[in-house]
Structures are given as structure tokens and as C-alpha cells.
Amino acid sequence: MKIRVMICDDNEEFMTDAKAHFALSDKFELVETAANGKEALDRIDAARPDVLLLDLVMPTLDGFSVLERVNKGGMKIIVVSALSQDAFISKAMSLGADFYMMKPVSFGVLDERILEAVNTKRPTAKNRSMDEKISNIFITVGIPAHIKGYQYLREAIKMTIDSPDIINSITKKLYPEVAEHFNTSPSKVERAIRHAIEVAWNRGKIENINTLFGVRVYNHNEKPTNGEFIALVADKMLLESV
């Protein structure tokens, strides 16, 4: 059975390209479109999509308003937007977006995100709260939500919080478990997490990083390994929960 997709976007070029892409897909079915948030809210119940692709800047009613008002149920929401500011990304994720992708998008990567979103279990209220706290840390240190390593790194940190000893078996247990969660391979998880950390360091928010963790742990010329960064964030989360 094909995954049911709905698009809410007022960009005619993107909509035309998306329609052409999904028309040829054997995995996805485009069941509805909307040019603004009001149309999306009016049509979503009848369309019953598995995934909503949502722009943020639209006339009549914007994407943030849709996130605030929509009844998600089991539906997943992927924001596809040209907005790149951390504040917008953080707001969208805190309002319930499952993924955030930057325009222009590769439809091949978009397909991967749709599959990941559908295959990811819906978080409990406790996990949503933890997700928000970890996401705020990522924004502070400069890890953008639209890269793949963001999701993998967040899941790895949550697993380490639940089972601290797993960090000692990062290649044998942690990467494989994250990979299973997202239906991918451990090597892809490792590379994506490493890339996410490199992006943060290249953005130069080292002072934010040192302030966040309370000590001067790193400088511009050195960055943590995947395991060190995961353990650092997990330890901070555990200490704050005590």
C-alpha cells in the first residue's frame, strides 16, 4: 500500500515538480494539495494523509498556524521551507514537526525523510519534552534541524540517557540500535552524526558550547568524537533531571 502524501505550499514551481515526482512513484500517492494553511486544515480530514509536507510562509494562514491547530493523530509532518533561521526551525519542531527540510530539496532525499517519518514511532509526552530539551541544546551549539545527523544524534542521546552503559559499545550497540530505529545502516548513522558535529564546530559557536556545559571543554581547533559529544549531552540531561 502506498504512503499517502498531502502538500501544503503556495510555491507553484515546487508544487508542479512535486506532483510530477509523486505521479511516477511506486511508494507514495499524492492525495491532496493546498495553497495555504486554511485550505490545508479544511481538506486534511477528508484526505487522511500519512504525511503532510508543509511550507511555513503562505498567504491566509501560515505553516506555524497549521502546526498549532492541526490534529496530527498518526500523521507525520515534514516542514519544507526556505526559512533557515534557527529560531524558525526550533519553533516548527517544538510545535510538532517531525522533520525540517531546507528548500531547494532533492526529491530523493525527501523520499527518504518521508519513509523515516512514517517508520518512526510517535513519541510519548515524556519523550516529546526530552526531544524539546535536546533540540534546544542543538540550536545553542549550532546543529541545524534539517540535516540527517540531527535526528540520529538526538535518538542516540536519548538511548544513552536511558542506558548510560551503551556509550561504551557505540559501534556494537548504539549505532545499530539507532540505525534500526530509522531503518538505515550503522555506518550511515556514524557518518551523519559526525557530520552534524562538524557542522556545529564549523559554525563557530564554541563559546555557546562552553557556556552550555559550564566549562571550557573545546576550542575551534578541536572537536569531540561522536561518543564524547553524545556522552556530554546525555550527562547534562541526567544532571538536570536529578
Side-chain angles (χ1 to χ4, degrees), residues 1 10 23 35 69 71 76 118 121 158 184 199 216:
M1 183 179 295
D10 68 326
R69 302 180 191 189
N71 179 14
K76 301 302 178 73
V118 170
K121 295 178 181 177
K158 289 193 293 184
T184 186
V199 168
R216 298 190 63 83

Side-chain angles (χ1 to χ4, degrees), residues 12-101:
E12 293 182 3
E13 182 180 355
F14 175 76
M15 192 71 81
T16 298
D17 291 344
K19 287 178 179 177
H21 171 74
F22 289 121
L24 298 174
S25 176
D26 59 354
K27 296 179 181 177
F28 311 107
E29 176 187 4
L30 183 60
V31 295
E32 184 60 273
T33 63
N36 59 65
K38 183 180 184 305
E39 288 183 1
L41 292 175
D42 288 343
R43 300 172 185 177
I44 204 162
D45 287 342
R48 296 181 295 106
D50 300 306
V51 177
L52 172 65
L53 305 181
L54 178 66
D55 192 13
L56 292 179
V57 180
M58 295 178 292
T60 311
L61 202 66
D62 64 20
F64 292 118
S65 298
V66 173
L67 288 167
E68 289 171 341
R69 302 180 191 189
V70 72
N71 179 14
K72 283 186 69 177
M75 179 183 67
K76 301 302 178 73
I77 299 178
I78 300 176
V79 170
V80 185
S81 173
L83 296 179
S84 60
Q85 292 91 333
D86 287 341
F88 294 133
I89 296 172
S90 175
K91 183 176 180 180
M93 300 299 285
S94 69
L95 288 174
D98 295 282
F99 285 92
Y100 195 108
M101 298 185 69

